Amino acid sequence: MRRLMRLIMATLAMARALVWDGVSWTWRVTRAILGAPSPDVSEALAEADAIEAPVAAPEAPAAKMTPHERLGLDVLATLAPFAGGGPSEPLPSHLEHYVKGLTVTERVKLVSKFPDHIGRFLCHRDTIPGLPPVPTVAQHGARILNLALDLRDHERTEDVEEANRAFSLAVIQDLLDDLDEKLAV
């Protein structure tokens, strides 16, 4: 019973404090809206300027990041830019195409690793099970060249559409000619 009474008393004390803070805040907002004269704070600002700021302790030197860690963080920033930020350095094109070409499941496997591990994997120094092998610069260049040659060897879409249109007009003209011959008899 005593515990219950203490709990009730503590709740009432807290409620009173919350109500008082709410009223105080409401009063300040109302005064600001209604244009009540603001207090002169120049003396307080002068006192604050007169007080010297405490001397900050010298910062510890930042730990140097390995190239693999930097690469791993850049990959993470490419896949999931945090608050609008991106990689500190652009990824090499073969790595960017590789990373962006991964499936969602493969991306999850990749980002679940530490940045150092990701960097070592992308530099062919480590493995991550379940992910396709990372292409080298030469392999990536060969794939791009093959795609370019495939595009060059195939007809363009506009040419195919023009050929289909010409064929359709030729068929319609043949049908009209046949109809004219039948009607002429």
Side-chain angles (χ1 to χ4, degrees):
M1 186 65 150
R2 274 191 176 162
R3 290 181 121 180
L4 181 61
M5 289 302 288
R6 285 183 185 166
L7 182 63
I8 291 173
M9 295 301 287
T11 304
L12 289 175
M14 189 173 79
R16 180 174 174 236
L18 289 175
V19 169
W20 179 252
D21 288 343
V23 169
S24 167
W25 181 83
T26 305
W27 177 247
R28 284 191 307 241
V29 170
T30 305
R31 282 186 31 204
I33 291 173
L34 295 177
S38 59
D40 185 22
V41 294
S42 58
E43 292 177 17
L45 290 176
E47 284 181 27
D49 288 339
I51 297 174
E52 291 184 26
V55 177
E59 293 184 25
K64 295 284 184 177
M65 296 180 81
T66 65
H68 294 148
E69 279 180 304
R70 172 59 46 210
L71 179 61
L73 288 174
D74 289 342
V75 166
L76 291 173
T78 299
L79 289 177
F82 305 108
S88 61
E89 296 177 11
L91 291 175
S93 63
H94 72 287
L95 294 179
E96 185 175 359
H97 285 135
Y98 172 79
V99 167
K100 290 184 176 179
L102 294 174
T103 65
V104 174
T105 306
E106 291 168 341
R107 287 181 182 193
V108 168
K109 285 181 185 178
L110 183 66
V111 300
S112 68
K113 305 299 180 193
F114 287 112
D116 186 51
H117 192 180
I118 294 171
R120 287 193 320 259
F121 169 71
L122 294 175
C123 291
H124 304 282
R125 305 248 191 268
D126 207 345
T127 60
I128 297 178
L131 290 181
V134 179
T136 63
V137 176
Q139 290 170 335
H140 177 70
R143 285 183 191 163
I144 297 296
L145 181 61
N146 284 339
L147 289 173
L149 292 175
D150 287 346
L151 287 174
R152 184 194 72 183
D153 294 342
H154 288 64
E155 293 182 14
R156 294 190 318 239
T157 307
E158 302 88 37
D159 295 340
V160 172
E161 289 176 1
E162 185 60 37
N164 287 341
R165 188 175 300 113
F167 176 75
S168 299
L169 290 175
V171 169
I172 292 171
Q173 189 61 47
D174 283 345
L175 291 172
L176 288 175
D177 291 342
D178 288 343
L179 187 60
D180 283 344
E181 287 178 16
K182 289 181 182 178
L183 289 176
V185 176

